[in-house]
Amino acid sequence: MSEFEPASRVSRIKSSASVAAAARVRELKAEGRRILDLTVGEPDFDTPEHIKVAAFEAISRGETKYTSVTGTPALQNAILKTIKLRTGLHYTPAEITIGGGAKQVIFTAFMASLNVGDEVIVPAPYWVSYPDMVLANEGTPVVVPCGEEVGFKLTPGALAAALTDRTKWIILNTPSNPTGVVYSPAELRAIADVLAGFPHVYVLTDEIYDQIYFGEGKLASLVEVAPQLKDRVLAVNGVSKAYAMTGWRLGYAAGPAPLIAAINKLQSQISSCPSSISQAAGAAALAGDQSFVRESVETYRSRRDAAVAALNAIEGLSCGTPDGAFYAYVNCSEAIGKTTPNGTVIRDDQDFVLYLLDHVSVAVIQGSAYGLGPYFRISYATSLDIIDESIAAIDKAVQALI
Ligand code: PLP
């Protein structure tokens, strides 16, 4: 039998670093090791009861069949109302799409829009999947480093320097994975001003963490502060993070009707529709009682405060205070070049996270996986006890370096 040869699009991409990290933690746990896991990219809470009940009821009513590509009327209404409530913007059913998670919606949006060599501006640090999703769809990721000195955010100057005739998209993720930083209305307006001179460029705003926001007032959304861009912004969202529904696989996006029609055409050939049961649950999540979201955000806030204070108390590490999501991005540059008690030199953040895993059984993800080192990402979507214990262990490991 001849050996299987994957398609070239497969060789162009890597497996997701966060999925790989989670798999490694599971393997080590299966070997009997106790791992303090700060890699987790999902809420540690259970899906709220009223959402589960909505799913059970949908099953009992026999809502177990294909739906239309664009979803059940209940889900469509819930999405349109949610967008109106959060951003004040009015969209029509022809301007929304749904898929098996925000991840799949983003992938399909690239598949629906990119031709060979089209460029996608990806500010770094970025969510691990963006560059590979672009590559898988024949596009060219143009990674723009956005360091700590600019708050890990794309500046108007850096954007202007990266834009070309081939630019198809820029990606903005606010609140961000991995840094938790949030773009202010003024920062979004400044980006919109640059884009005024580039009418061929679309913006994918990944707003999956929009509900997990610790700042004053309401989180700003690009189309809300720059409505003139409405016909070229795809605002992506979903139920995974805000409602602890990562396993239900339901995401959605709002954007210009011709782009949405192209995405839906592909969706009709990819999966027909996301699970009808998840759609019922998602409608209940968006339209129902929001107290779970408020309460979980307060819990994340106290964990964030504890984590950031403990990390900054470690000599040799530092991190800013994130305004959203449930991650902190920690600068470990002072550890680079030092030697572990076993005599290994820490050359980069990848070595550093391996050292943490080997030496004190703490799992975190290296900043280089997000396109900007030397940093590591911690997730504080875990208990305060685990946060305290893990950060004390990280401290011990850092102090053992010479
Ligand atoms: N976008 C960002 C920035 C994420 O961090 C994630 C999940 O980790 C997603 C999108 C995917 O979310 P979903 O579960 O809806 O596919």
Short mmCIF file of all heavy atoms in Angstrom, two decimals, residues 186-246:
data_model
loop_
_atom_site.label_atom_id
_atom_site.label_comp_id
_atom_site.label_asym_id
_atom_site.label_seq_id
_atom_site.Cartn_x
_atom_site.Cartn_y
_atom_site.Cartn_z
N ALA A 186 -11.42 55.04 21.05
CA ALA A 186 -10.52 55.94 20.31
C ALA A 186 -9.55 55.12 19.46
O ALA A 186 -9.25 55.49 18.30
CB ALA A 186 -9.75 56.83 21.29
N GLU A 187 -9.04 54.01 20.02
CA GLU A 187 -8.11 53.17 19.24
C GLU A 187 -8.82 52.56 18.03
O GLU A 187 -8.24 52.48 16.94
CB GLU A 187 -7.53 52.07 20.15
CG GLU A 187 -6.52 52.62 21.14
CD GLU A 187 -6.21 51.67 22.29
OE1 GLU A 187 -7.00 50.74 22.56
OE2 GLU A 187 -5.17 51.88 22.93
N LEU A 188 -10.06 52.14 18.22
CA LEU A 188 -10.80 51.57 17.09
C LEU A 188 -11.08 52.64 16.03
O LEU A 188 -10.96 52.38 14.83
CB LEU A 188 -12.11 50.94 17.58
CG LEU A 188 -11.96 49.69 18.45
CD1 LEU A 188 -13.32 49.24 18.98
CD2 LEU A 188 -11.30 48.54 17.68
N ARG A 189 -11.41 53.84 16.50
CA ARG A 189 -11.67 54.93 15.55
C ARG A 189 -10.43 55.25 14.72
O ARG A 189 -10.49 55.48 13.51
CB ARG A 189 -12.15 56.19 16.28
CG ARG A 189 -13.61 56.45 16.06
CD ARG A 189 -14.11 57.67 16.81
NE ARG A 189 -15.06 57.25 17.82
CZ ARG A 189 -14.92 57.39 19.13
NH1 ARG A 189 -13.86 57.97 19.63
NH2 ARG A 189 -15.85 56.96 19.93
N ALA A 190 -9.27 55.22 15.39
CA ALA A 190 -8.01 55.52 14.69
C ALA A 190 -7.73 54.46 13.62
O ALA A 190 -7.26 54.78 12.51
CB ALA A 190 -6.86 55.61 15.69
N ILE A 191 -8.06 53.22 13.92
CA ILE A 191 -7.88 52.15 12.92
C ILE A 191 -8.85 52.37 11.76
O ILE A 191 -8.50 52.25 10.59
CB ILE A 191 -8.05 50.77 13.60
CG1 ILE A 191 -6.79 50.48 14.42
CG2 ILE A 191 -8.31 49.67 12.58
CD1 ILE A 191 -6.80 49.24 15.21
N ALA A 192 -10.09 52.73 12.11
CA ALA A 192 -11.10 52.99 11.07
C ALA A 192 -10.65 54.13 10.16
O ALA A 192 -10.85 54.08 8.94
CB ALA A 192 -12.44 53.31 11.72
N ASP A 193 -10.00 55.14 10.74
CA ASP A 193 -9.53 56.28 9.93
C ASP A 193 -8.52 55.81 8.89
O ASP A 193 -8.55 56.24 7.74
CB ASP A 193 -8.89 57.36 10.83
CG ASP A 193 -9.95 58.10 11.64
OD1 ASP A 193 -11.15 57.95 11.31
OD2 ASP A 193 -9.58 58.81 12.60
N VAL A 194 -7.60 54.93 9.30
CA VAL A 194 -6.61 54.42 8.34
C VAL A 194 -7.33 53.63 7.24
O VAL A 194 -7.03 53.78 6.04
CB VAL A 194 -5.57 53.50 9.04
CG1 VAL A 194 -4.63 52.86 8.03
CG2 VAL A 194 -4.80 54.27 10.10
N LEU A 195 -8.33 52.85 7.63
CA LEU A 195 -9.01 52.00 6.65
C LEU A 195 -9.84 52.79 5.64
O LEU A 195 -10.16 52.28 4.57
CB LEU A 195 -9.89 50.97 7.37
CG LEU A 195 -9.08 49.92 8.14
CD1 LEU A 195 -10.01 49.04 8.97
CD2 LEU A 195 -8.26 49.05 7.17
N ALA A 196 -10.15 54.04 5.99
CA ALA A 196 -10.91 54.88 5.06
C ALA A 196 -10.18 54.98 3.72
O ALA A 196 -10.80 55.04 2.65
CB ALA A 196 -11.13 56.26 5.66
N GLY A 197 -8.85 54.95 3.76
CA GLY A 197 -8.06 55.06 2.52
C GLY A 197 -7.87 53.72 1.81
O GLY A 197 -7.17 53.66 0.79
N PHE A 198 -8.41 52.64 2.36
CA PHE A 198 -8.22 51.31 1.77
C PHE A 198 -9.57 50.60 1.66
O PHE A 198 -9.86 49.64 2.38
CB PHE A 198 -7.25 50.49 2.64
CG PHE A 198 -5.87 51.07 2.69
CD1 PHE A 198 -5.56 52.09 3.58
CD2 PHE A 198 -4.89 50.63 1.82
CE1 PHE A 198 -4.30 52.65 3.62
CE2 PHE A 198 -3.62 51.18 1.84
CZ PHE A 198 -3.33 52.19 2.74
N PRO A 199 -10.41 51.06 0.72
CA PRO A 199 -11.79 50.54 0.68
C PRO A 199 -11.89 49.07 0.29
O PRO A 199 -12.97 48.48 0.43
CB PRO A 199 -12.48 51.44 -0.36
CG PRO A 199 -11.38 52.13 -1.09
CD PRO A 199 -10.17 52.14 -0.25
N HIS A 200 -10.78 48.47 -0.18
CA HIS A 200 -10.85 47.05 -0.56
C HIS A 200 -10.60 46.12 0.63
O HIS A 200 -10.66 44.90 0.48
CB HIS A 200 -9.81 46.75 -1.66
CG HIS A 200 -8.39 46.97 -1.22
ND1 HIS A 200 -7.85 48.22 -1.04
CD2 HIS A 200 -7.41 46.09 -0.88
CE1 HIS A 200 -6.59 48.11 -0.65
NE2 HIS A 200 -6.31 46.82 -0.53
N VAL A 201 -10.32 46.69 1.80
CA VAL A 201 -9.92 45.85 2.95
C VAL A 201 -11.11 45.58 3.87
O VAL A 201 -11.85 46.50 4.23
CB VAL A 201 -8.79 46.55 3.74
CG1 VAL A 201 -8.44 45.76 4.99
CG2 VAL A 201 -7.56 46.72 2.85
N TYR A 202 -11.27 44.32 4.25
CA TYR A 202 -12.31 43.91 5.20
C TYR A 202 -11.69 43.72 6.59
O TYR A 202 -10.48 43.51 6.71
CB TYR A 202 -12.95 42.59 4.75
CG TYR A 202 -13.91 42.77 3.61
CD1 TYR A 202 -13.46 43.06 2.32
CD2 TYR A 202 -15.28 42.67 3.82
CE1 TYR A 202 -14.35 43.25 1.27
CE2 TYR A 202 -16.18 42.85 2.78
CZ TYR A 202 -15.71 43.13 1.52
OH TYR A 202 -16.61 43.32 0.51
N VAL A 203 -12.52 43.81 7.61
CA VAL A 203 -12.02 43.61 8.97
C VAL A 203 -12.79 42.48 9.62
O VAL A 203 -14.03 42.49 9.64
CB VAL A 203 -12.21 44.87 9.85
CG1 VAL A 203 -11.43 44.70 11.17
CG2 VAL A 203 -11.76 46.12 9.13
N LEU A 204 -12.04 41.50 10.15
CA LEU A 204 -12.68 40.44 10.92
C LEU A 204 -12.47 40.78 12.39
O LEU A 204 -11.34 40.80 12.86
CB LEU A 204 -12.05 39.09 10.56
CG LEU A 204 -12.78 37.86 11.10
CD1 LEU A 204 -12.58 36.67 10.16
CD2 LEU A 204 -12.37 37.49 12.50
N THR A 205 -13.56 41.14 13.07
CA THR A 205 -13.42 41.42 14.49
C THR A 205 -13.88 40.17 15.25
O THR A 205 -15.02 39.74 15.12
CB THR A 205 -14.26 42.64 14.93
OG1 THR A 205 -15.63 42.42 14.65
CG2 THR A 205 -13.79 43.91 14.25
N ASP A 206 -12.94 39.59 15.97
CA ASP A 206 -13.24 38.39 16.75
C ASP A 206 -13.61 38.85 18.15
O ASP A 206 -12.76 39.28 18.93
CB ASP A 206 -12.01 37.47 16.74
CG ASP A 206 -12.26 36.18 17.50
OD1 ASP A 206 -13.22 36.11 18.27
OD2 ASP A 206 -11.45 35.24 17.32
N GLU A 207 -14.93 38.78 18.45
CA GLU A 207 -15.45 39.34 19.70
C GLU A 207 -15.94 38.25 20.64
O GLU A 207 -16.82 38.45 21.46
CB GLU A 207 -16.58 40.34 19.36
CG GLU A 207 -16.09 41.39 18.36
CD GLU A 207 -17.13 42.44 17.96
OE1 GLU A 207 -18.17 42.54 18.62
OE2 GLU A 207 -16.87 43.14 16.96
N ILE A 208 -15.31 37.06 20.51
CA ILE A 208 -15.78 35.90 21.28
C ILE A 208 -15.71 36.13 22.79
O ILE A 208 -16.46 35.53 23.55
CB ILE A 208 -15.00 34.63 20.84
CG1 ILE A 208 -15.62 33.35 21.41
CG2 ILE A 208 -13.55 34.68 21.24
CD1 ILE A 208 -16.80 32.84 20.69
N TYR A 209 -14.81 37.03 23.24
CA TYR A 209 -14.71 37.30 24.69
C TYR A 209 -15.41 38.60 25.08
O TYR A 209 -15.15 39.13 26.16
CB TYR A 209 -13.22 37.38 25.11
CG TYR A 209 -12.49 36.07 24.94
CD1 TYR A 209 -11.67 35.83 23.84
CD2 TYR A 209 -12.63 35.04 25.88
CE1 TYR A 209 -11.01 34.62 23.67
CE2 TYR A 209 -11.97 33.83 25.72
CZ TYR A 209 -11.17 33.62 24.61
OH TYR A 209 -10.53 32.42 24.45
N ASP A 210 -16.29 39.12 24.24
CA ASP A 210 -16.83 40.46 24.51
C ASP A 210 -17.58 40.57 25.83
O ASP A 210 -17.66 41.64 26.43
CB ASP A 210 -17.69 40.99 23.34
CG ASP A 210 -19.00 40.23 23.16
OD1 ASP A 210 -19.11 39.09 23.67
OD2 ASP A 210 -19.91 40.76 22.51
N GLN A 211 -18.14 39.46 26.30
CA GLN A 211 -18.91 39.52 27.56
C GLN A 211 -18.00 39.45 28.78
O GLN A 211 -18.42 39.76 29.88
CB GLN A 211 -19.87 38.35 27.63
CG GLN A 211 -20.80 38.27 26.47
CD GLN A 211 -22.14 38.81 26.89
OE1 GLN A 211 -22.31 40.00 27.11
NE2 GLN A 211 -23.09 37.93 27.02
N ILE A 212 -16.75 38.98 28.56
CA ILE A 212 -15.85 38.81 29.70
C ILE A 212 -14.94 40.04 29.73
O ILE A 212 -13.82 40.04 29.22
CB ILE A 212 -15.07 37.47 29.60
CG1 ILE A 212 -16.08 36.33 29.45
CG2 ILE A 212 -14.19 37.26 30.83
CD1 ILE A 212 -15.48 34.98 29.15
N TYR A 213 -15.49 41.10 30.28
CA TYR A 213 -14.86 42.42 30.21
C TYR A 213 -14.92 43.05 31.59
O TYR A 213 -15.98 43.06 32.23
CB TYR A 213 -15.62 43.27 29.17
CG TYR A 213 -15.18 44.70 29.11
CD1 TYR A 213 -13.84 45.02 28.85
CD2 TYR A 213 -16.08 45.75 29.30
CE1 TYR A 213 -13.44 46.35 28.80
CE2 TYR A 213 -15.68 47.07 29.23
CZ TYR A 213 -14.35 47.36 28.99
OH TYR A 213 -13.95 48.66 28.94
N PHE A 214 -13.76 43.54 32.06
CA PHE A 214 -13.69 44.06 33.43
C PHE A 214 -13.62 45.58 33.48
O PHE A 214 -13.50 46.16 34.55
CB PHE A 214 -12.43 43.51 34.13
CG PHE A 214 -12.23 42.03 33.93
CD1 PHE A 214 -11.11 41.53 33.30
CD2 PHE A 214 -13.19 41.12 34.38
CE1 PHE A 214 -10.93 40.16 33.11
CE2 PHE A 214 -13.03 39.75 34.19
CZ PHE A 214 -11.89 39.28 33.55
N GLY A 215 -13.61 46.22 32.31
CA GLY A 215 -13.41 47.67 32.27
C GLY A 215 -14.67 48.44 32.64
O GLY A 215 -15.72 47.86 32.92
N GLU A 216 -14.52 49.76 32.64
CA GLU A 216 -15.64 50.65 32.92
C GLU A 216 -16.57 50.67 31.72
O GLU A 216 -16.13 50.58 30.58
CB GLU A 216 -15.11 52.08 33.09
CG GLU A 216 -14.25 52.30 34.31
CD GLU A 216 -15.05 52.25 35.59
OE1 GLU A 216 -16.09 52.94 35.63
OE2 GLU A 216 -14.66 51.52 36.51
N GLY A 217 -17.84 50.83 31.96
CA GLY A 217 -18.81 50.99 30.87
C GLY A 217 -18.89 49.75 30.00
O GLY A 217 -18.65 48.64 30.45
N LYS A 218 -19.18 50.00 28.73
CA LYS A 218 -19.44 48.89 27.81
C LYS A 218 -18.23 48.70 26.90
O LYS A 218 -17.57 49.66 26.53
CB LYS A 218 -20.66 49.28 26.96
CG LYS A 218 -21.48 48.13 26.49
CD LYS A 218 -22.83 48.61 25.94
CE LYS A 218 -22.71 49.46 24.68
NZ LYS A 218 -22.13 48.82 23.52
N LEU A 219 -17.98 47.46 26.53
CA LEU A 219 -16.89 47.18 25.60
C LEU A 219 -17.23 47.78 24.22
O LEU A 219 -18.36 47.65 23.76
CB LEU A 219 -16.72 45.67 25.47
CG LEU A 219 -15.62 45.20 24.54
CD1 LEU A 219 -14.29 45.20 25.29
CD2 LEU A 219 -15.91 43.82 24.02
N ALA A 220 -16.22 48.37 23.57
CA ALA A 220 -16.48 48.97 22.26
C ALA A 220 -16.33 47.94 21.15
O ALA A 220 -15.44 47.10 21.19
CB ALA A 220 -15.50 50.11 22.03
N SER A 221 -17.23 48.03 20.18
CA SER A 221 -17.16 47.15 19.02
C SER A 221 -16.86 48.05 17.80
O SER A 221 -17.36 49.18 17.72
CB SER A 221 -18.52 46.46 18.89
OG SER A 221 -18.63 45.81 17.67
N LEU A 222 -16.05 47.55 16.86
CA LEU A 222 -15.60 48.41 15.76
C LEU A 222 -16.75 49.05 14.98
O LEU A 222 -16.75 50.25 14.73
CB LEU A 222 -14.68 47.62 14.82
CG LEU A 222 -14.15 48.40 13.61
CD1 LEU A 222 -13.22 49.52 14.03
CD2 LEU A 222 -13.44 47.47 12.62
N VAL A 223 -17.74 48.24 14.61
CA VAL A 223 -18.82 48.79 13.76
C VAL A 223 -19.64 49.84 14.53
O VAL A 223 -20.16 50.78 13.94
CB VAL A 223 -19.78 47.69 13.28
CG1 VAL A 223 -20.76 48.24 12.27
CG2 VAL A 223 -19.01 46.58 12.63
N GLU A 224 -19.69 49.65 15.85
CA GLU A 224 -20.45 50.60 16.66
C GLU A 224 -19.76 51.97 16.66
O GLU A 224 -20.42 53.00 16.50
CB GLU A 224 -20.51 50.04 18.08
CG GLU A 224 -21.46 50.74 18.97
CD GLU A 224 -21.41 50.16 20.38
OE1 GLU A 224 -20.57 49.26 20.66
OE2 GLU A 224 -22.20 50.62 21.20
N VAL A 225 -18.42 51.97 16.78
CA VAL A 225 -17.73 53.27 16.82
C VAL A 225 -17.44 53.81 15.42
O VAL A 225 -17.20 54.99 15.26
CB VAL A 225 -16.42 53.23 17.67
CG1 VAL A 225 -16.69 52.77 19.08
CG2 VAL A 225 -15.35 52.40 17.02
N ALA A 226 -17.45 52.92 14.42
CA ALA A 226 -17.19 53.36 13.04
C ALA A 226 -18.23 52.74 12.11
O ALA A 226 -17.94 51.87 11.29
CB ALA A 226 -15.78 52.94 12.62
N PRO A 227 -19.51 53.20 12.23
CA PRO A 227 -20.59 52.56 11.46
C PRO A 227 -20.38 52.63 9.95
O PRO A 227 -20.93 51.83 9.20
CB PRO A 227 -21.85 53.32 11.89
CG PRO A 227 -21.40 54.45 12.74
CD PRO A 227 -19.98 54.28 13.11
N GLN A 228 -19.52 53.58 9.52
CA GLN A 228 -19.24 53.67 8.08
C GLN A 228 -18.55 52.41 7.53
O GLN A 228 -18.50 52.18 6.33
CB GLN A 228 -18.39 54.93 7.77
CG GLN A 228 -16.94 54.91 8.23
CD GLN A 228 -16.72 55.28 9.71
OE1 GLN A 228 -17.67 55.29 10.50
NE2 GLN A 228 -15.49 55.57 10.09
N LEU A 229 -18.02 51.58 8.46
CA LEU A 229 -17.34 50.35 8.01
C LEU A 229 -18.28 49.14 7.97
O LEU A 229 -17.85 48.03 7.68
CB LEU A 229 -16.18 50.01 8.97
CG LEU A 229 -14.95 50.92 8.96
CD1 LEU A 229 -13.91 50.36 9.92
CD2 LEU A 229 -14.36 51.02 7.56
N LYS A 230 -19.56 49.36 8.28
CA LYS A 230 -20.46 48.21 8.48
C LYS A 230 -20.46 47.25 7.28
O LYS A 230 -20.56 46.04 7.45
CB LYS A 230 -21.88 48.69 8.76
CG LYS A 230 -22.83 47.58 9.17
CD LYS A 230 -24.12 48.11 9.75
CE LYS A 230 -25.05 46.96 10.10
NZ LYS A 230 -26.31 46.97 9.39
N ASP A 231 -20.30 47.79 6.05
CA ASP A 231 -20.37 46.90 4.89
C ASP A 231 -19.05 46.19 4.62
O ASP A 231 -18.90 45.52 3.60
CB ASP A 231 -20.87 47.65 3.65
CG ASP A 231 -19.93 48.77 3.26
OD1 ASP A 231 -18.96 49.03 4.03
OD2 ASP A 231 -20.13 49.39 2.20
N ARG A 232 -18.06 46.33 5.53
CA ARG A 232 -16.84 45.52 5.35
C ARG A 232 -16.28 44.97 6.67
O ARG A 232 -15.10 44.66 6.78
CB ARG A 232 -15.78 46.24 4.54
CG ARG A 232 -15.47 47.66 4.93
CD ARG A 232 -14.67 48.26 3.79
NE ARG A 232 -14.32 49.64 4.01
CZ ARG A 232 -13.08 50.05 4.23
NH1 ARG A 232 -12.09 49.20 4.28
NH2 ARG A 232 -12.83 51.35 4.37
N VAL A 233 -17.16 44.85 7.67
CA VAL A 233 -16.72 44.22 8.93
C VAL A 233 -17.51 42.93 9.13
O VAL A 233 -18.73 42.92 8.99
CB VAL A 233 -16.96 45.15 10.14
CG1 VAL A 233 -16.68 44.41 11.45
CG2 VAL A 233 -16.05 46.38 10.05
N LEU A 234 -16.77 41.87 9.44
CA LEU A 234 -17.42 40.63 9.85
C LEU A 234 -17.17 40.50 11.35
O LEU A 234 -16.02 40.31 11.78
CB LEU A 234 -16.83 39.42 9.10
CG LEU A 234 -17.56 38.10 9.40
CD1 LEU A 234 -18.94 38.09 8.74
CD2 LEU A 234 -16.75 36.90 8.94
N ALA A 235 -18.23 40.65 12.14
CA ALA A 235 -18.10 40.59 13.60
C ALA A 235 -18.45 39.17 14.04
O ALA A 235 -19.58 38.72 13.89
CB ALA A 235 -19.02 41.60 14.26
N VAL A 236 -17.43 38.47 14.56
CA VAL A 236 -17.59 37.06 14.90
C VAL A 236 -17.81 36.92 16.41
O VAL A 236 -17.16 37.59 17.21
CB VAL A 236 -16.34 36.26 14.48
CG1 VAL A 236 -16.47 34.78 14.86
CG2 VAL A 236 -16.08 36.41 12.99
N ASN A 237 -18.72 36.03 16.77
CA ASN A 237 -19.00 35.81 18.18
C ASN A 237 -19.49 34.37 18.36
O ASN A 237 -19.48 33.59 17.39
CB ASN A 237 -20.04 36.82 18.68
CG ASN A 237 -19.79 37.21 20.12
OD1 ASN A 237 -19.51 36.34 20.95
ND2 ASN A 237 -19.90 38.49 20.41
N GLY A 238 -19.94 34.04 19.56
CA GLY A 238 -20.41 32.68 19.80
C GLY A 238 -20.82 32.53 21.24
O GLY A 238 -20.77 33.51 22.01
N VAL A 239 -21.21 31.32 21.61
CA VAL A 239 -21.69 31.12 22.97
C VAL A 239 -20.67 30.41 23.86
O VAL A 239 -20.88 30.27 25.06
CB VAL A 239 -23.02 30.31 22.97
CG1 VAL A 239 -24.14 31.13 22.33
CG2 VAL A 239 -22.86 28.97 22.26
N SER A 240 -19.54 29.97 23.28
CA SER A 240 -18.60 29.13 24.01
C SER A 240 -18.12 29.73 25.32
O SER A 240 -18.16 29.07 26.36
CB SER A 240 -17.35 28.87 23.16
OG SER A 240 -17.63 27.97 22.13
N LYS A 241 -17.62 30.95 25.24
CA LYS A 241 -16.88 31.49 26.39
C LYS A 241 -17.82 32.11 27.42
O LYS A 241 -17.69 31.87 28.61
CB LYS A 241 -15.85 32.52 25.93
CG LYS A 241 -15.00 32.08 24.74
CD LYS A 241 -13.98 31.00 25.07
CE LYS A 241 -13.22 30.59 23.81
NZ LYS A 241 -12.09 29.72 24.05
N ALA A 242 -18.79 32.92 26.97
CA ALA A 242 -19.64 33.64 27.91
C ALA A 242 -20.57 32.70 28.67
O ALA A 242 -20.90 32.95 29.82
CB ALA A 242 -20.46 34.69 27.18
N TYR A 243 -21.01 31.61 28.01
CA TYR A 243 -22.02 30.74 28.62
C TYR A 243 -21.45 29.36 28.95
O TYR A 243 -22.22 28.43 29.17
CB TYR A 243 -23.24 30.61 27.69
CG TYR A 243 -23.85 31.95 27.36
CD1 TYR A 243 -23.52 32.60 26.16
CD2 TYR A 243 -24.69 32.61 28.25
CE1 TYR A 243 -24.05 33.85 25.86
CE2 TYR A 243 -25.21 33.86 27.96
CZ TYR A 243 -24.88 34.47 26.77
OH TYR A 243 -25.40 35.71 26.48
N ALA A 244 -20.13 29.25 28.98
CA ALA A 244 -19.50 27.96 29.31
C ALA A 244 -20.07 26.84 28.43
O ALA A 244 -20.54 25.81 28.91
CB ALA A 244 -19.69 27.64 30.80
N MET A 245 -20.05 27.08 27.12
CA MET A 245 -20.66 26.14 26.17
C MET A 245 -19.66 25.70 25.10
O MET A 245 -20.05 25.47 23.95
CB MET A 245 -21.88 26.80 25.51
CG MET A 245 -23.03 27.03 26.47
SD MET A 245 -24.42 27.85 25.65
CE MET A 245 -25.04 26.56 24.56
N THR A 246 -18.40 25.54 25.47
CA THR A 246 -17.39 25.22 24.45
C THR A 246 -17.69 23.92 23.70
O THR A 246 -17.40 23.81 22.51
CB THR A 246 -15.99 25.15 25.08
OG1 THR A 246 -16.08 24.36 26.26
CG2 THR A 246 -15.46 26.52 25.44
#
